[in-house]
Amino acid sequence: MCDICVMNSVKRKMLSRRSFFKAGAAGAVVAATGAGLATPAMAAGHGSIEDMTHTLHEDFPTYFGESQFSREQVFNYAEHSFNLQRLTINEHTGTHIDAPLHFSEDGTSVDEIPVSSLFAPLCVIDIAARAAEDTDTQVTPDDLKAWIDTNGEIPDGACVAMHSGWGTKVDTDEYRNFDGEAQHYPGFHIEAAEMLLETGAGSIAVDTLSLDFGMSADFATHYAWLPSGRFGIENLANLDRVPAAGATLVIGAPKHRGGTGGPARIFAMV
């Protein structure tokens, strides 16, 4: 066969394969967006996505006041033609999950959290105005009742999140707000946690360093909530950019065996 014939034959085969893959991709899009086949979240009418995760770095504030994240460049592109870093990290650093095991002897570890629990209707309890005046304020049963009166019952599997406005302080000393004796920032009151235990809520979240308010000496909310088999999220970002009700939280939980928690990439479909 002549050279030009070979070239034309190859071109025809390539064009045929391109057409095949284009048709396949178009079919996949139709299948994914067709009636009855859309995911429940998208079918509920979500139209945008908000990132709810702070960027993790060496100076990210921590409960203990010391850095809990470091990285070492093991390979670099100039010498090795690729980049690779070694990370050293405390599980409870940055935007992260508290698994039930964190505050119980033999609770569910982070890798054992059912994936179905990582897609949650988001309920935002806004106490930002009060927190601006009182750094030690807490989410109370009255706050939960007010949310329910406005938005209806808390959905099964929901993540109930405290919006205190603390996320704007994350790169300042005000985030940890340590006065030399105690930290000062909002959290969930034990009575609010106990009220939520009577609902179908699957997780609670805060935009601060702890599920308990900063002055807590007994971690009452942690000890009430986590041993029940439900999990928590700390240092959630951008709660001011999502509605009080109607969004779906997607929680990219880590999956290391026996973990008590870990940094997570979390976003909300609004």
Side-chain angles (χ1 to χ4, degrees), residues 13-267:
K13 289 180 179 179
M14 290 177 65
L15 289 172
S16 177
R17 291 185 68 186
R18 288 175 185 169
S19 299
F20 173 80
F21 285 118
K22 284 182 179 179
V29 170
V30 171
T33 58
L37 292 180
T39 65
M42 297 310 292
H46 299 81
S48 63
I49 298 176
E50 293 290 348
D51 191 354
M52 310 298 287
T53 313
H54 288 294
T55 299
L56 185 57
H57 54 84
E58 288 84 346
D59 296 321
F60 195 93
T62 68
Y63 183 86
F64 297 106
E66 300 177 352
S67 179
Q68 297 178 173
F69 173 79
S70 63
R71 53 188 167 175
E72 174 191 357
Q73 188 84 30
V74 180
F75 295 95
N76 64 78
Y77 196 84
E79 295 181 56
H80 311 102
S81 297
F82 69 98
N83 291 304
L84 186 149
Q85 298 179 22
R86 179 183 293 118
L87 306 181
T88 302
I89 188 167
N90 180 305
E91 289 176 311
H92 299 273
T93 308
T95 301
H96 70 273
I97 288 178
D98 281 6
L101 183 60
H102 185 36
F103 271 72
S104 60
E105 184 176 1
D106 57 357
T108 301
S109 58
V110 70
D111 57 304
E112 295 172 331
I113 296 174
V115 69
S116 58
S117 299
L118 303 178
F119 292 80
L122 179 60
C123 307
V124 180
I125 311 299
D126 189 345
I127 63 167
R130 197 165 76 232
E133 302 294 328
D134 178 9
T135 60
D136 299 318
T137 193
Q138 301 178 69
V139 174
T140 67
D142 286 342
D143 294 317
L144 299 178
K145 291 173 185 175
W147 189 95
I148 291 170
D149 287 344
T150 301
N151 301 286
E153 294 298 322
I154 293 172
D156 287 344
C159 176
V160 180
M162 175 193 76
H163 168 42
S164 70
W166 229 248
T168 61
K169 305 174 186 287
V170 72
D171 290 321
T172 72
D173 290 338
E174 290 182 73
Y175 193 75
R176 187 166 182 259
N177 208 19
F178 184 62
D179 66 4
E181 295 184 1
Q183 300 173 61
H184 297 273
Y185 45 77
F188 275 87
H189 193 281
I190 176 59
E191 293 178 359
E194 289 172 342
M195 179 177 170
L196 287 172
L197 288 173
E198 301 300 318
T199 73
S203 59
I204 57 175
V206 294
D207 55 358
T208 60
L209 282 166
S210 176
L211 303 178
D212 287 275
F213 77 136
M215 287 184 66
S216 174
D218 59 6
F219 297 101
T221 294
H222 277 84
Y223 279 114
W225 187 258
L226 297 179
S228 74
R230 311 182 205 201
F231 65 92
I233 302 171
E234 294 171 337
N235 301 312
L236 203 60
N238 295 326
L239 282 165
D240 59 330
R241 301 179 64 174
V242 295
T248 297
L249 200 65
V250 182
I251 306 157
K255 198 176 181 183
H256 54 292
R257 185 174 299 168
T260 70
R265 187 63 185 268
I266 300 174
F267 57 93

